[in-house]
Amino acid sequence: MSDLIRKNASELVELLNNGNVSSVEVTQAHLDRSAAVDGAVHSYLYQNPETALATAANIDRRRAAGEKLHLLAGLPIAVKDNLTTTDAPTTSGSKILEGWVPPYDATVVSKLREAGMPILGKTNLDEFAMGSSTEFSAYGASHNPWDLDRIPGGSGGGSSSVVASFQAPLAIGSDTGGSIRFPASVTGTVGIKPTYGAVSRYGLIALASSLDQIGPVSRNVLDSALLQDVIAGHDPHDSTSLPESLGSMAEAARKLDVKGMRVGVIKELMGEGFQPGVMARFNESLNLLQQAGAEIVEVSCPNFEYAIAAYYLILPAEASSNLAKFDSVRFGLRVAPEGNPTIERVMAATREAGFGPEVKRRIILGTYALSSGSYEKYYGAALKVRTLIQRDFDAAFAKADVLVSPTAPTTAFKLGEKLDDPLAMYLNDIATIPANLAGIPGMSIPNGLAEEDGLPVGIQILAPAREDARLYQVGGALEKMHEEIWGKRMIDFAPELEVRG
Amino acid sequence: MAKDELMNYEKALEQFEVVIGLEVHIELNTKTKMFCGCRNEFGDEPNTNVCPICIALPGALPAVNRKAVESSIAIGLALGCDIAPNGRFARKNYFYPDLAKNFQTSQYDEPIAFNGSLEVEIPSGAVHVIDIERAHMEEDAGKLTHIGGSTGRIQGAEYSLVDYNRAGVPLVEIVTRPVFGAGSEAPELAAAYVRSIREIVKGLGVSDAKMERGNVRCDANVSLRPHGQEKLGTRTETKNVNSLRSIERAVRYEIQRQAAILAKGGSIIQETRHWHEDKGATSSGRPKSDADDYRYFPEPDLVPVQPSKELIESIRATLPEKPADRRKRLQNDWGFAELEFRDVVNADLLDVIEETVAAGAKPQSARKWWSGELARAANNEDKDVADLAITPIQVAELASLVEAGKLNDRLAREVLTYVLAGEGNPAEIVSARGLEVVSDDGALIAAIDAALAKQPDVLDAIREGRMQAAGAVIGAVMQAMKGSADAGRVRELLIEKANA
Ligand SMILES: [Zn+2]
């Protein structure tokens, strides 16, 4: 394979800016890679090589003409299929949106286009981002490039597997309870959920509005930093987007210094239920941080115990309302029922046929949680837990500058293994969910391989709201120490995928 | 529609105490919609003022219209309300095809304005203080047109068309606390209350306030209870009352209908009822209970509205005077008698008379025109006086022509019909049609002589003091000059001639 595709995004940026490689070459190399491996990995739901190459050629022309371009101009990227794009169908992994081409671009997509980044395609996800494995995608699961029989994480398994299989140097994900970080953890890649509001949600097909956040996916901390610097910023179209800038993430990622930083270890997110290899790698990283001059402190977040329960009330409640618009009237699937096609019956038949089982499960759950008589007992109680979890974080961040935990309790499980056990599936997100409930930023970076199965594990870094830069600073420093010990990047341990002629 | 049994109104009031409650929706006249940048315009081609936000395409998010918030605060302040420092939006969830998101973005437990009151004067002159529970912001739904049925309603229709131009238009809903003690005047009080609200929002400039366009919509809650009973009776909510007159009629109808049921030992069904202007009756809509489950929850896509004290005070500083104060001032300025003034208020003529006076007319002549000839014209055309094709400036011009003796009453009325027909301003019409009063003595004397030639005895009769004899000659002169003669001058000339 072309060695262009194995390069970090930051290296490609340098080559592009120096004129050593053209955007068409870089884009074509990734398209070739997809043609070779995506039949096996199934990261993409849609690709249009012509539009990607046209953008690339345009950038090359403009660069040749001496135009001043964005730093990342010409660098191709993959976008999760729950962000609207005017030149590609946007399905959110659901049959109810099959073939729907939105009339507007998501703000993040507009920013990528303004930066001159060719969009390679739309990546797979669990239907409406509900899931931890992509197995709930209406278009079939994606596969983990480390072991094709295993899940690539979810919901953003398309975006994690696309960078892990070198089909894209960067990808956009969305994280509602771990949908960027869990896939990163199980595919040996980097994923960041920025502070709630740091990146505009306009054009992101909502799962749970108060929890959703768009973020970068890459193979390297600096690469994600470069991408967050492109997509972040206030957007008048999203009233929950932060008015202020959070500064340069790339600058933070280049500091490579943790001296004097207080790193808090969350007592409740380790031990029982966590795979031995996951814990072993975690403890090794704590030692590395300490050796680099960080102070390790233990913190307690007692209310995390209730996080999953609260999350699975707040999320379905918001989702049940967000998904009400899928009624066949203005866009998407329309199914005519047998007999008299009244509006109620057409809506019901469309939703019955268009939504998958996990979506229906959560709509029913959410509708119930909000109904009168249940509201206080369920939704109201969940909001209280949310406040308590925020307080846990406040207390923890009084003692520590960043917090760390394993990203997930286990390595990638086998496709089909947890499909019939929703509760077991929900437990994957035990360490990632609290950050969404509190609106704080979180990052997962590769943390070595578990000796029992040889699969990647991740370490999660959390920072107070608006302090995304700390993630990049600590993540960048730890990544550098890892790579010095390993002698190469973690992704370079991944087995070669069988390439189709 | 089954015919309801009604109890005699006076009898109903002997037996029951009337409690009313009013919910008034005000459509704001902001340039753009509540949560998107689409034009807020009545009457455009269907589905032309739409975007991903107001037709709820996946991924779209709302953003609050600042002007709509300011207008809502102004309404709240004008109603004497407190303004919430932290007003949150909420989602009201229900499926309906005119509601693109299948939830309405509204306010629930944290309205922008609350705890106000309004003094309302009813036609009898009594003044009631209506307590305002809250005024909250929300968005309008689209407009459904049902095709294929005979009634234009959804029942029996073959299909329905949806126009989303109105979807997302900003609304303020003003809700009263239960209103007691209006007795037999409850219907008049309901109408007078809505009239006051209309005056307020019009005075604030925040709404076009046209009821026939749905800018002001009223839902009237009515319940009865036996005199002396503490517990409130079961209420009905009558919708679709689109004029002040129908509010009055609908409340009255509900009082009579409910009284008949209760007197027989029956019970009232808590429900929505529809007012039918043509039949003068309400009919049963869908049952409504306090347990209607809209699954309200805080709107996660919008941050709370947090108006600063400075903003609130700056809006308060620009509030126009209160309707009651304005009425007192105008009555004083104009010098109208009590009854005259009350008629003007009840006929909704304050604004037009004020503007006509401002354009130079004398208050009494402005009043005469608007409450006489123009009120009749509006009645014939079945529209509001304010919507006639004549401006207060034109009325003032007409009045000044009469004042100057250039037009007599009959001619002025004729000119008025041409103005209403769109022929231009009164002075233009007078010259174009040659309608000016002829006061040229030469022409008059010639006409008088011609008339006297046919009735030679008249001069003698006048000399003998029998003035009524002059009438025949005056009439003949007027006829000969097609009404453009100044009758007073004809009489003077005739007397001069007799005494010469
Ligand atoms: Zn719009």
Side-chain angles (χ1 to χ4, degrees):
Chain A
M1 67 178 139
S2 158
D3 58 349
L4 277 179
I5 60 168
R6 295 194 71 92
K7 291 191 185 305
N8 288 338
S10 56
E11 295 174 277
L12 292 173
V13 164
E14 217 176 298
L15 293 171
L16 285 163
N17 279 286
N18 293 338
N20 293 333
V21 67
S22 72
S23 175
V24 167
E25 284 174 273
V26 175
T27 304
Q28 187 63 57
H30 286 97
L31 291 169
D32 290 346
R33 174 67 172 174
S34 292
V37 302
D38 204 42
V41 182
H42 189 41
S43 299
Y44 283 114
L45 291 179
Y46 177 87
Q47 278 198 287
N48 187 340
E50 287 79 46
T51 57
L53 288 168
T55 307
N58 182 38
I59 288 297
D60 288 339
R61 247 191 320 274
R62 288 166 60 190
R63 199 187 302 278
E67 204 177 313
K68 187 162 168 37
L69 299 172
H70 188 280
L71 180 68
L72 269 61
L75 184 69
I77 187 166
V79 174
K80 194 175 181 181
D81 199 34
N82 57 357
L83 277 99
T84 57
T85 44
T86 50
D87 55 1
T90 300
T91 69
S92 210
S94 179
K95 285 284 177 206
I96 212 162
L97 275 181
E98 189 163 15
W100 180 60
V101 181
Y104 75 107
D105 276 328
T107 297
V108 162
V109 170
S110 299
K111 286 184 177 228
L112 298 178
R113 294 197 204 279
E114 277 157 31
M117 299 176 74
I119 294 173
L120 293 165
K122 305 293 289 289
T123 60
N124 196 16
L125 67 159
D126 290 289
E127 185 176 3
F128 289 110
M130 296 181 186
S132 304
S133 67
T134 68
E135 291 168 289
F136 289 125
S137 167
Y139 303 99
S142 299
H143 299 257
N144 191 322
W146 291 73
D147 177 349
L148 292 173
D149 291 333
R150 290 180 188 267
I151 58 119
S155 66
S159 287
S160 68
S161 62
V162 88
V163 297
S165 61
F166 302 103
Q167 297 186 67
L170 291 174
I172 296 287
S174 71
D175 189 313
T176 306
S179 285
I180 289 176
R181 290 162 290 160
F182 177 62
S185 167
V186 295
T187 57
T189 55
V190 173
I192 289 95
K193 179 201 100 68
T195 297
Y196 184 78
V199 179
S200 167
R201 292 183 294 116
Y202 191 74
L204 170 68
I205 297 177
L207 168 51
S209 311
S210 74
L211 303 165
D212 296 343
Q213 184 58 203
I214 295 170
V217 176
S218 67
R219 294 185 294 264
N220 171 284
V221 173
L222 176 60
D223 294 357
S224 274
L226 292 169
L227 182 52
Q228 183 161 338
D229 287 344
V230 175
I231 62 176
H234 179 69
D235 177 10
H237 282 302
D238 175 1
S239 93
T240 64
S241 84
L242 297 174
E244 71 272 27
S245 161
L246 302 184
S248 163
M249 299 304 134
E251 208 172 282
R254 290 192 177 103
K255 281 186 182 161
L256 306 176
D257 178 18
V258 293
K259 261 195 283 307
M261 283 191 97
R262 297 167 304 160
V263 175
V265 180
I266 304 167
K267 202 171 76 181
E268 287 78 7
L269 292 181
M270 45 202 275
E272 207 192 326
F274 286 75
Q275 203 175 309
V278 168
M279 283 318 300
R281 298 293 88 74
F282 179 67
N283 289 323
E284 285 165 17
S285 289
L286 291 183
N287 282 334
L288 287 177
L289 288 166
Q290 198 164 25
Q291 283 161 27
E295 182 193 343
I296 307 294
V297 296
E298 191 183 82
V299 299
S300 174
C301 295
N303 294 295
F304 281 18
E305 189 186 335
Y306 311 111
I308 287 187
Y311 176 80
Y312 278 101
L313 289 166
I314 292 168
L315 178 145
E318 292 183 12
S320 69
S321 174
N322 285 334
L323 295 175
K325 65 172 68 76
F326 296 86
D327 61 5
S328 83
V329 175
R330 298 164 315 286
F331 57 85
L333 184 71
R334 179 177 296 171
V335 175
E338 276 181 42
N340 190 16
T342 64
I343 185 70
E344 289 87 353
R345 299 186 69 243
V346 173
M347 283 182 184
T350 301
R351 290 165 69 82
E352 167 62 29
F355 287 143
E358 182 63 17
V359 174
K360 285 177 188 159
R361 178 152 48 223
R362 297 200 197 183
I363 289 175
I364 291 168
L365 207 63
T367 304
Y368 181 71
L370 289 175
S371 60
S372 70
S374 312
Y375 184 95
E376 275 313 314
K377 202 160 39 165
Y378 298 114
Y379 186 75
L383 291 184
K384 282 178 194 140
V385 169
R386 191 171 190 170
T387 305
L388 293 175
I389 284 170
Q390 282 158 350
R391 284 191 199 148
D392 278 0
F393 273 124
D394 289 344
F397 284 121
K399 290 187 192 162
D401 301 307
V402 294
L403 304 176
V404 291
S405 76
T407 308
T410 66
T411 54
F413 49 86
K414 287 235 158 79
L415 284 157
E417 193 182 321
K418 297 189 181 178
L419 203 48
D420 298 326
D421 189 352
L423 288 181
M425 191 81 97
Y426 296 170
L427 283 173
N428 290 305
D429 298 329
I430 190 162
T432 48
I433 280 172
N436 299 81
L437 289 172
I440 64 165
M443 168 186 277
S444 178
I445 65 168
N447 203 32
L449 303 176
E451 50 269 29
E452 55 270 28
D453 52 21
L455 291 168
V457 305
I459 182 170
Q460 174 177 239
I461 308 163
L462 302 167
R466 296 177 170 78
E467 300 291 348
D468 301 35
R470 288 188 202 167
L471 303 181
Y472 288 99
Q473 185 177 344
V474 175
L478 184 58
E479 177 186 67
K480 178 154 181 285
M481 291 185 265
H482 279 149
E483 290 182 1
E484 276 167 7
I485 293 165
W486 301 332
K488 54 182 176 181
R489 300 175 305 179
M490 173 128 154
I491 199 70
D492 297 322
F493 289 96
E496 279 294 324
L497 283 170
E498 197 182 313
V499 170
R500 279 193 295 181
Chain B
M1 203 163 85
K3 215 162 161 87
D4 293 312
E5 194 182 323
L6 302 180
M7 184 187 276
N8 169 283
Y9 189 65
E10 283 69 31
K11 213 173 126 201
L13 287 152
E14 268 168 36
Q15 293 189 30
F16 299 102
E17 184 193 352
V18 182
V19 181
I20 56 173
L22 298 157
E23 293 165 23
V24 178
H25 285 87
I26 307 294
E27 215 172 58
L28 300 181
N29 59 2
T30 49
K31 286 203 178 65
T32 57
K33 293 186 182 181
M34 186 75 212
F35 299 116
C36 65
C38 291
R39 263 156 61 86
N40 169 17
E41 192 64 58
F42 179 86
D44 282 358
E45 276 289 296
N47 296 313
T48 51
N49 299 329
V50 297
C51 72
I53 298 165
C54 56
I55 60 168
L57 294 187
L61 294 174
V64 176
N65 179 336
R66 189 188 160 88
K67 182 73 194 142
V69 172
E70 292 174 359
S71 297
S72 307
I73 292 173
I75 291 173
L77 291 173
L79 295 172
C81 290
D82 295 334
I83 303 301
N86 196 52
R88 242 193 327 182
F89 284 96
R91 292 187 184 178
K92 181 180 184 180
N93 293 286
Y94 64 99
F95 278 83
Y96 211 71
D98 62 4
L99 196 64
K101 294 173 290 191
N102 285 317
F103 61 79
Q104 182 193 31
T105 307
S106 180
Q107 293 192 296
Y108 184 50
D109 47 2
E110 292 164 281
I112 186 144
F114 55 96
N115 277 349
S117 68
L118 183 64
E119 260 186 34
V120 177
E121 188 182 342
I122 50 178
S124 68
V127 174
H128 290 260
V129 176
I130 307 278
D131 288 333
I132 310 288
E133 182 183 307
R134 58 189 283 157
H136 69 252
M137 298 181 278
E138 60 185 33
E139 58 178 337
D140 213 340
K143 197 170 175 300
L144 286 175
T145 309
H146 304 295
I147 310 289
S150 53
T151 59
R153 298 186 59 189
I154 195 163
Q155 290 82 5
E158 276 172 48
Y159 62 95
S160 303
L161 300 173
V162 200
D163 175 8
Y164 291 105
N165 281 357
R166 203 180 62 183
V169 163
L171 294 179
V172 172
E173 180 177 347
I174 303 164
V175 183
T176 67
R177 293 223 166 80
V179 179
F180 306 93
S184 64
E185 291 177 319
E188 288 86 347
L189 179 57
Y193 167 77
V194 177
R195 174 179 289 125
S196 292
I197 296 282
R198 262 185 56 189
E199 271 179 60
I200 287 173
V201 297
K202 232 175 135 183
L204 291 170
V206 298
S207 171
D208 294 343
K210 292 193 197 315
M211 290 194 80
E212 70 279 9
R213 283 194 183 176
N215 298 146
V216 176
R217 283 171 250 164
C218 175
D219 301 339
N221 290 285
V222 176
S223 71
L224 301 182
R225 60 180 176 186
H227 289 289
Q229 178 182 300
E230 181 93 13
K231 193 171 171 290
L232 288 174
T234 304
R235 69 191 154 86
T236 59
E237 181 181 349
T238 303
K239 291 191 178 286
N240 196 29
V241 268
N242 295 327
S243 72
L244 295 174
R245 190 165 155 266
S246 30
I247 292 170
E248 207 174 308
R249 292 175 70 200
V251 171
R252 196 181 174 94
Y253 182 91
E254 270 304 288
I255 292 171
Q256 292 181 270
R257 187 187 69 85
Q258 292 185 19
I261 294 170
L262 292 171
K264 277 189 166 172
S267 52
I268 304 302
I269 303 163
Q270 187 170 347
E271 63 182 352
T272 304
R273 296 186 68 85
H274 292 280
W275 171 249
H276 304 275
E277 185 65 44
D278 49 343
K279 301 189 181 76
T282 64
S283 74
S284 176
R286 66 192 176 84
K288 185 177 172 117
S289 76
D290 288 329
D292 255 352
D293 200 347
Y294 291 118
R295 306 189 310 280
Y296 279 101
F297 73 102
E299 167 57 271
D301 283 326
L302 290 170
V303 292
V305 173
Q306 296 174 313
S308 66
K309 278 211 170 67
E310 293 73 39
L311 175 68
I312 294 169
E313 290 317 311
S314 75
I315 294 172
R316 196 194 302 278
T318 61
L319 289 184
E321 68 188 322
K322 290 200 176 108
D325 296 346
R326 173 171 174 245
R327 288 180 189 182
K328 278 183 202 120
R329 174 176 60 82
L330 291 177
Q331 189 180 353
N332 245 329
D333 289 356
W334 295 345
F336 288 180
E338 196 70 38
L339 257 177
E340 277 176 348
F341 191 77
R342 205 176 293 154
D343 287 346
V344 163
V345 169
N346 293 334
D348 268 321
L349 296 172
L350 278 185
D351 289 349
V352 285
I353 293 178
E354 191 180 23
E355 287 167 43
T356 308
V357 170
K362 289 192 171 146
Q364 278 297 2
S365 73
R367 185 186 68 79
K368 276 181 200 142
W369 280 112
W370 284 107
S371 61
E373 208 57 34
L374 287 165
R376 268 193 292 280
N379 205 34
N380 290 340
E381 292 181 37
D382 200 21
K383 53 165 90 158
D384 273 10
V385 166
D387 292 329
L388 286 172
I390 187 167
T391 65
I393 293 170
Q394 289 171 323
V395 175
E397 190 181 319
L398 194 64
S400 80
L401 288 171
V402 174
E403 191 83 11
K406 293 198 174 153
L407 291 178
N408 56 25
D409 277 358
R410 205 198 57 76
L411 278 176
R413 280 201 295 276
E414 192 179 340
V415 169
L416 189 69
T417 61
Y418 299 135
V419 176
L420 289 172
E423 289 189 17
N425 291 325
E428 293 165 9
I429 292 166
V430 166
S431 66
R433 287 186 168 261
L435 289 174
E436 197 159 346
V437 168
V438 178
S439 52
D440 169 6
D441 287 355
L444 291 179
I445 290 166
I448 290 168
D449 289 344
L452 286 174
K454 290 181 188 160
Q455 304 175 67
D457 304 339
V458 170
L459 287 181
D460 286 335
I462 293 173
R463 283 185 205 108
E464 286 159 22
R466 288 188 281 123
M467 280 309 294
Q468 61 270 36
V473 172
I474 294 170
V477 170
M478 293 302 279
Q479 200 172 4
M481 304 202 62
K482 298 199 168 61
S484 67
D486 179 339
R489 186 62 190 152
V490 174
R491 171 184 289 261
E492 280 169 21
L493 288 170
L494 202 52
I495 294 169
E496 275 173 32
K497 210 176 242 316
N499 297 332

